[in-house]
Amino acid sequence: MKFNETLANLTSYEAGKPIELVVREYGIEAKNVIKIASNENPYGCSPKVVEAIKNEAHKMSLYPDDSMYELKGALAKKYSVGSENIIIGSGSDQVIEFSLFAKTNFSNKILMAKTTFAMYEIYGNRTNTTVLKTASHEHNIKEFLDIYKTNKDIAVIFLCLPNNPLGECLDKDEVFEFLKDISKDTLVVVDGAYQEFAGFKDKSKRIDPKELIETFPNAIYLGTFSKAYGLGGMRVGYGVGDKEVIKALHKLRSPFNITTLSLKAAIEALKDEEFVQKSVVKNFEEMAKYEEFAKKLDMEFIPSYTNFITCKLKKDSSLICEELMKNGIIIRNLKSYGLNAVRITIGTKEQNLKLFKVFEDIYRG
Ligand SMILES: *Cc1c(COP(=O)(O)O)cnc(C)c1O
């Protein structure tokens, strides 16, 4: 069968390995598998969300409120913007997709860091846009500017703040300085998937969506419930932007793009910011142990503003990941990014202790 020609050049996102796979392949019981590979919240989600979902499970036969009135209202309040400044996506992934489809076509370009969230390029390839990347793996704002100035038709720029899968984060001031040099016709996507973590660790990294879009109406801020809020399985993300941008993105959104229960979960999650705060505090307490661990094993690591840590290895990362998996521990191999490195999600105290022990045995052995 012949397919759309662009399909030939497309690759799919390599998702983190699921617990089910380790159960099937290595015969380890699901309860003994530790998955610290996809930057999910190891403490789960707010108990208030669980309670609400139990109480409202019967509503799954009904389509959700497609205006998403309550969720948009709650986000608008959180960020002191209007509901017309918000779009909800099936994960912020979907808002990335909308942003690209709204701006790109076969002749223009998009710009991103060399090693950043893979979905930017994957969706970019779907519109056959040319993907430009900085020479440095990590975000280097000077390189972004140089490339921007020497290429006329860059339609979308992605800034991942902090960056997945490396963990570094540009300062807010650098980002705002950079934005002054960008044409009002270039859409700048500020992906804040880990902003809850970065903003806690260092105030100078904190991006206020309202300030961002009011100063630069060509910027859109993306947030998600999948990471700090612990709702990865519910698939809810959002974009905060100028109402003209949001209106354009809405044309690409299909009705009912998130589920009735996802909508409920997100609304309830926003009522329990204390849960998020506690998760973030514990994250950095445990992160400190990872830094000690990396030093002890003489592994280079990137100081992280997220809920994961990326370590460069002296042994083959594929081998290490494979051996860990045999022991029921799933982490993320960064080989496909051209790095002999691993990205480990900061787990609970118990999960981390187990990882330290097994990892050390394998790494030294
Ligand atoms: C996890 C992640 C997202 C989006 O996740 P969703 O589950 O689709 O909301 C977006 N950007 C980055 C950098 C991420 O790590």
Side-chain angles (χ1 to χ4, degrees):
M1 189 182 288
K2 275 196 174 160
F3 295 101
N4 173 340
E5 281 157 27
T6 54
L7 280 190
N9 309 317
L10 300 187
T11 49
S12 304
Y13 182 73
E14 184 203 336
K17 301 238 182 327
I19 290 176
E20 291 80 356
L21 178 132
V22 178
V23 172
R24 279 197 307 275
E25 290 200 354
Y26 301 104
I28 299 170
E29 273 187 84
K31 66 171 172 39
N32 295 326
V33 178
I34 295 176
K35 185 190 178 205
I36 39 179
S38 298
N39 308 337
E40 294 144 321
N41 189 327
Y43 310 102
C45 65
S46 162
K48 290 181 184 158
V49 173
V50 178
E51 194 55 31
I53 294 300
K54 278 185 190 158
N55 292 336
E56 305 226 346
H58 61 283
K59 289 194 181 162
M60 69 174 85
S61 56
L62 302 174
Y63 282 118
D65 165 15
D66 192 53
S67 73
M68 305 188 197
Y69 181 86
E70 200 179 344
L71 178 56
K72 281 190 196 167
L75 284 167
K77 187 161 169 249
K78 174 177 163 76
Y79 291 127
S80 309
V81 296
S83 288
E84 68 282 5
N85 295 113
I86 291 170
I87 184 166
I88 308 295
S90 172
S92 59
D93 264 12
Q94 197 177 35
V95 189
I96 295 170
E97 187 182 11
F98 295 158
S99 303
L100 280 163
F101 276 66
K103 283 296 290 179
T104 58
N105 58 46
F106 286 75
S107 66
N108 53 21
K109 300 168 185 163
I110 62 175
L111 173 59
M112 62 191 73
K114 179 167 179 172
T115 300
T116 189
F117 192 47
M119 293 314 297
Y120 309 151
E121 182 170 14
I122 291 173
Y123 287 131
N125 287 338
R126 286 193 199 166
T127 52
N128 241 346
T129 186
T130 303
V131 177
L132 304 176
K133 294 181 182 178
T134 59
S136 303
H137 284 284
E138 298 174 35
H139 284 64
N140 177 314
I141 209 69
K142 191 178 171 307
E143 290 177 19
F144 270 85
L145 198 56
D146 287 346
I147 296 175
Y148 185 76
K149 285 190 168 159
T150 48
N151 283 274
K152 282 209 164 43
D153 40 8
I154 293 179
V156 185
I157 300 174
F158 286 97
L159 297 176
C160 195
L161 307 173
N163 186 24
N164 176 15
L166 300 181
E168 94 282 3
C169 192
L170 292 173
D171 281 349
K172 177 221 158 188
D173 288 348
E174 289 180 274
V175 174
F176 275 53
E177 249 339 278
F178 169 74
L179 285 167
K180 287 183 192 162
D181 286 326
I182 304 303
S183 151
K184 291 290 164 257
D185 195 42
T186 301
L187 180 66
V188 181
V189 177
V190 172
D191 188 339
Y194 303 93
Q195 268 287 319
E196 290 85 358
F197 297 98
F200 172 84
K201 181 172 173 178
D202 183 345
K203 278 208 274 305
S204 67
K205 310 291 182 191
R206 206 178 280 170
I207 305 273
D208 172 29
K210 177 186 167 75
E211 187 190 1
L212 176 73
I213 65 168
E214 285 181 354
T215 319
F216 305 104
N218 59 316
I220 180 169
Y221 176 91
L222 306 189
T224 179
F225 287 92
S226 300
K227 309 288 161 54
Y229 286 88
L231 297 179
M234 294 309 252
R235 314 300 307 123
V236 192
Y238 55 91
V240 184
D242 183 74
K243 61 179 192 285
E244 192 198 348
V245 173
I246 296 300
K247 206 169 145 193
L249 300 197
H250 265 292
K251 293 185 179 170
L252 296 158
R253 187 185 71 86
S254 326
F256 313 126
N257 62 321
I258 68 167
T259 75
T260 302
L261 295 182
S262 306
L263 199 52
K264 184 67 193 172
I267 291 163
E268 290 303 312
L270 284 175
K271 293 179 189 162
D272 194 359
E273 295 286 357
E274 199 188 321
F275 170 81
V276 175
Q277 207 50 33
K278 278 187 186 155
S279 304
V280 170
V281 169
K282 280 187 267 184
N283 175 68
F284 286 111
E285 282 168 12
E286 292 299 311
M287 176 88 75
K289 298 181 190 168
Y290 271 92
E291 293 179 351
E292 284 312 307
F293 178 70
K295 283 178 198 155
K296 181 176 157 200
L297 265 60
D298 198 21
M299 294 189 297
E300 193 187 329
F301 66 89
I302 303 172
S304 171
Y305 293 87
T306 65
N307 63 345
F308 59 81
I309 187 164
T310 293
C311 300
K312 298 172 185 167
L313 307 187
K314 296 198 175 101
K315 289 197 172 165
D316 181 45
S317 63
S318 303
L319 193 94
I320 300 287
C321 289
E322 181 68 27
E323 288 302 313
L324 281 170
M325 201 125 75
K326 287 181 190 162
N327 286 277
I329 301 176
I330 317 172
I331 62 168
R332 185 61 190 257
N333 187 3
L334 297 184
K335 258 296 155 59
S336 62
Y337 291 86
L339 296 170
N340 189 47
V342 293
R343 186 193 71 192
I344 308 173
T345 303
I346 309 301
T348 61
K349 187 176 169 192
E350 294 72 29
Q351 291 176 326
N352 299 332
L353 281 174
K354 174 100 188 278
L355 177 286
F356 295 150
K357 186 180 177 307
V358 178
F359 194 109
E360 183 167 356
D361 284 349
I362 295 169
Y363 200 69
R364 291 199 197 274

